[in-house]
Amino acid sequence: AMKVTPPAVATTSPIANFNDGLLLLSAEWLAETAPPNGVAELMTIWQVADPEKIGPRVPPAYTTETVLFTQVLRPDGTILAQADYLDAPSWNWQNGDIVVQIHQMYMPPETAAGQYQTIVGVYEQRSGNRLIVMEDGQTFTTAPPLQIQP
């Protein structure tokens, strides 16, 4: 059997604790910059703290339907680019599981060079309800900013 070694995860405190259910351990851009008309990739690493606190169990399978979202914001706060998906379905999560997600976002050709605020969060698909960050009561946490450079 092949043995897969997970990426090293800092054992320091998580970046954000979503509802005591899901902890964001790491968020980093895979490339230092992204060009306009290119794809930026943010890698997030999560740890499942309590599957019961991630979202309600939804019929017919009585499983959670949680989705991660990432948004790159323009200076005025509007959304430049967004990715909403989850490649490791939440219905199968167990306490302590580590989930690694690559969030791919296309940058429009007219995107100006500069630094763009990036936020990450978790929501329940059916209701659209976002999980609350225990530290500050927000519905998202900030990731490192995205650097756009031609």
Side-chain angles (χ1 to χ4, degrees):
M2 190 174 90
K3 189 169 166 47
V4 177
T5 307
V9 174
T11 51
T12 53
S13 54
I15 298 170
N17 169 353
F18 287 89
N19 201 43
D20 286 338
L22 197 57
L23 309 177
L24 177 60
L25 301 183
S26 171
E28 62 181 86
W29 293 100
L30 295 184
E32 282 179 25
T33 64
N37 202 30
V39 173
E41 294 183 312
L42 181 73
M43 180 175 75
T44 56
I45 302 177
W46 305 78
Q47 183 166 25
V48 179
D50 184 350
E52 297 298 323
K53 292 184 175 170
I54 292 170
R57 297 190 173 275
V58 179
Y62 292 95
T63 56
T64 54
E65 295 180 355
T66 303
V67 178
L68 306 176
F69 72 86
T70 308
Q71 296 175 352
V72 175
L73 306 178
R74 296 186 183 91
D76 66 3
T78 59
I79 296 171
L80 171 69
Q82 176 165 348
D84 290 49
Y85 46 79
L86 179 59
D87 292 332
S90 61
W91 55 263
N92 200 21
W93 287 354
Q94 311 292 322
N95 282 18
D97 279 359
I98 299 287
V99 178
V100 178
Q101 177 73 54
I102 307 288
H103 310 255
Q104 293 184 315
M105 285 164 288
Y106 170 71
M107 296 300 132
E110 67 279 5
T111 306
Q115 191 165 289
Y116 290 81
Q117 186 187 14
T118 302
I119 63 173
V120 177
V122 185
Y123 69 91
E124 201 270 318
Q125 218 164 4
R126 193 160 292 207
S127 65
N129 290 341
R130 291 183 176 187
L131 295 188
I132 300 293
V133 177
M134 302 304 274
E135 291 88 346
D136 59 14
Q138 299 273 13
T139 57
F140 60 86
T141 191
T142 53
L146 173 63
Q147 194 71 40
I148 298 288
Q149 195 174 302

